[in-house]
Amino acid sequence: MADISGVQPPPKRWKIDKAVAVIVLIPIVLAIFDPGQIEPTIRFATGAFLNTLPFILFAILAVAYMKATGAENLLSGAFQGREVRMIVLAALVGGLSPFCSCQVIPFIAALLAMGAPLSAVMAFWLSSPLMDPAMFSITAGTLGIGFATAKLGFAVAIGLLGGFTVRAFASSALFANPLKKAQVKSCCSSSCGADEDTFSGGVAWKFWGEAHRRATFREAALENLFFLGKWLALAYMIEALMLRYIPAELIAQVLGGTGVGPILLGAIVGAPAYLNGYAAVPLVDALLEQGMSNGAAMAFVIAGGISSIPAAVAVWALVKPRVFAAYLGIAVVGAVLAGIGWNAIA
């Protein structure tokens, strides 16, 4: 049937993916300023990507399986029962769940509106952006199983730190009436697709018998293939440039050595230098090769992960600035403590 309303729908706007644009732009810039570096950069990035490919594929399939089965519905169980139990479960679930921070904005908003304690929500918010099955796989493949396991442990520990800190000061003015009046229900990443019903329904571990779950598996796998692929490709190209153009002596001088100084600096620079959790892994690998201390590296990924734009938006969208400031403060303190701890055991 023809449209007789006289109103034409607005044309779809084609958006340029920024990560892909930068991937294309890097060889162009090199062709202008340093043509001899084009081939080594592409060769390095391709080799690094292929070495990580088994971990990438495992991560993609694991996340797609979790989404197709509806395992995200289990998340709501962490916010039931006694407050101490909720804090512990929220920190554990946040460190293990395969869902991005902004994907759970509607879910967390509903929990807070229904009276779920901010302590448990804070525990989840702090641990969630730091680790998930995909992140663990890629981190283990690049930085080693020891670093990945330690980061997971620190993610849960920081969640517990935040949860019990909020619980201890729950009656103070800092955490009184934490919610904003307007609750944002948006997603800040193309890899997120949550809505009001994301966490409703049951879990079907044998999902392949249902057509809509097979479609969910396929869509999630393709989305994450593109998402991980573009960010890791960009990160490996940046890693090649860092190794080529940033003097190792400078990194060793600023972020190397012992003591709390490099760790604190790693936590401070983690926020503005952080692309996302997946892209950060190769960058940290390059920094470690150039002399960055183990503790500074751990502080960098912890502070950067919690304060990265997707993670921070999830918190800023729902709570008042003073609560958001407490979130960032706990993140920095937790990152420094994690760096000190990793320096001691690495």
Side-chain angles (χ1 to χ4, degrees):
M1 178 181 292
D3 184 3
I4 60 175
S5 65
V7 179
Q8 296 296 326
K12 293 183 177 179
R13 297 179 62 185
W14 184 71
K15 294 183 178 181
I16 298 177
D17 188 283
K18 295 179 180 179
V20 175
V22 176
I23 292 173
V24 175
L25 186 61
I26 286 175
I28 295 176
V29 173
L30 287 175
I32 298 173
F33 295 101
D34 192 358
Q37 191 59 28
I38 297 177
E39 190 269 337
T41 299
I42 295 177
R43 186 176 68 248
F44 178 93
T46 302
F49 188 90
L50 291 177
N51 288 337
T52 317
L53 186 59
F55 299 94
I56 298 173
L57 294 177
F58 173 81
I60 290 170
L61 295 176
V63 172
Y65 176 78
M66 295 290 286
K67 287 186 174 291
T69 58
E72 56 198 37
N73 300 318
L74 300 175
L75 182 60
S76 60
F79 297 88
Q80 299 173 4
R82 297 181 177 180
E83 185 176 2
V84 171
R85 174 186 177 275
M86 280 190 278
I87 293 172
V88 174
L89 286 180
L92 288 170
V93 170
L96 298 172
S97 64
F99 314 113
C100 72
S101 300
C102 47
Q103 183 178 1
V104 296
I105 288 178
F107 175 68
I108 294 297
L111 285 173
L112 288 171
M114 290 186 298
L118 179 64
S119 57
V121 173
M122 185 66 76
F124 176 82
W125 261 333
L126 287 166
S127 62
S128 179
L130 294 178
M131 188 58 73
D132 55 51
M135 182 83 67
F136 186 91
S137 177
I138 292 171
T139 303
T142 304
L143 300 176
I145 188 70
F147 191 98
T149 303
K151 187 186 175 188
L152 173 59
F154 290 133
V156 175
I158 291 172
L160 294 174
L161 172 66
F164 285 108
T165 298
V166 173
R167 183 174 185 266
F169 296 95
S171 59
S172 68
L174 178 60
F175 298 114
N177 300 317
L179 277 180
K180 290 180 178 178
K181 291 182 179 180
Q183 295 180 353
V184 179
K185 298 177 181 179
S186 64
C187 186
C188 52
S189 170
S190 61
S191 63
C192 308
D195 56 28
E196 297 284 353
D197 299 322
T198 299
F199 300 100
S200 62
V203 180
W205 298 113
K206 298 180 180 180
F207 72 89
W208 43 87
E210 302 177 45
H212 74 281
R213 292 184 183 273
R214 292 197 301 270
T216 298
F217 178 88
R218 181 174 60 254
E219 292 169 4
L222 291 175
E223 280 184 356
N224 281 281
L225 176 62
F226 177 70
F227 179 78
L228 290 176
K230 71 179 182 182
W231 280 110
L232 287 174
L234 173 59
Y236 287 132
M237 293 186 77
I238 294 176
E239 180 183 4
L241 297 178
M242 289 173 62
L243 292 173
R244 173 67 176 84
Y245 296 110
I246 299 180
E249 297 80 9
L250 177 62
I251 300 298
Q253 180 181 355
V254 176
L255 295 172
T258 59
V260 180
I263 295 173
L264 181 59
L265 188 58
I268 293 173
V269 303
Y274 207 82
L275 297 175
N276 66 36
Y278 303 102
V281 173
L283 302 186
V284 170
D285 186 43
L287 290 170
L288 285 169
E289 287 189 24
Q290 291 176 291
M292 187 182 201
S293 72
N294 289 322
M298 184 61 73
F300 178 92
V301 297
I302 295 290
I306 296 176
S307 62
S308 63
I309 291 177
V313 163
V315 183
W316 179 261
L318 297 178
V319 298
K320 295 178 179 177
R322 50 186 164 79
V323 180
F324 180 75
Y327 165 86
L328 293 181
I330 295 170
V332 173
V333 171
V336 172
L337 293 176
I340 294 172
W342 181 237
N343 250 357
I345 63 178

